């Protein structure tokens, strides 16, 4: 039976390591059909620009800062 994998990546001011994280996710044996990067209100980093360069299947969602749990929850419904 085939399966579909999705990943939610909450982030806050971590654009410096996000590229490496996303590369690791996308290079899995069974890559995800979708990766949702939830920016938890980072005040000023390049998260949005980094995700825009990657394009599908990576998506960017920005939410007001609410902590990691709120960001994960937002990614599940985005």
């Amino acid at each position: 039976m085939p399966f579909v994998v999705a990943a939610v990546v909450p982030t806050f001011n971590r654009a410096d390591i996000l590229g490496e994280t996303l590369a690791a996710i996308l290079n899995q044996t069974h890559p995800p059909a979708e990766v949702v990067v939830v920016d938890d209100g980072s005040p000023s980093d390049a998260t949005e620009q980094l995700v825009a360069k990657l394009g599908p299947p990576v998506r960017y969602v920005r939410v007001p800062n609410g902590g990691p749990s709120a960001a994960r929850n937002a990614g599940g419904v985005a």
Side-chain angles (χ1 to χ4, degrees), residues 17 31 41-43 55 76:
I17 64 166
S42 299

Side-chain angles (χ1 to χ4, degrees), residues 18-31:
L18 186 60
E20 183 179 345
T21 300
L22 294 174
I25 291 169
L26 294 169
N27 289 320
Q28 294 295 306
T29 304
H30 186 82

Side-chain angles (χ1 to χ4, degrees), residues 3-62:
F3 57 93
V4 176
V5 175
V8 176
V9 180
T11 186
F12 180 79
N13 286 344
R14 298 305 297 211
D16 57 329
I17 64 166
L18 186 60
E20 183 179 345
T21 300
L22 294 174
I25 291 169
L26 294 169
N27 289 320
Q28 294 295 306
T29 304
H30 186 82
E34 179 178 44
V35 179
V36 180
V37 176
V38 182
D39 184 345
D40 188 30
S42 299
S44 60
D45 73 355
T47 299
E48 186 172 11
Q49 293 82 359
L50 177 76
V51 172
K53 288 179 185 176
L54 294 173
V58 183
R59 232 171 14 112
Y60 176 82
V61 175
R62 182 175 176 86

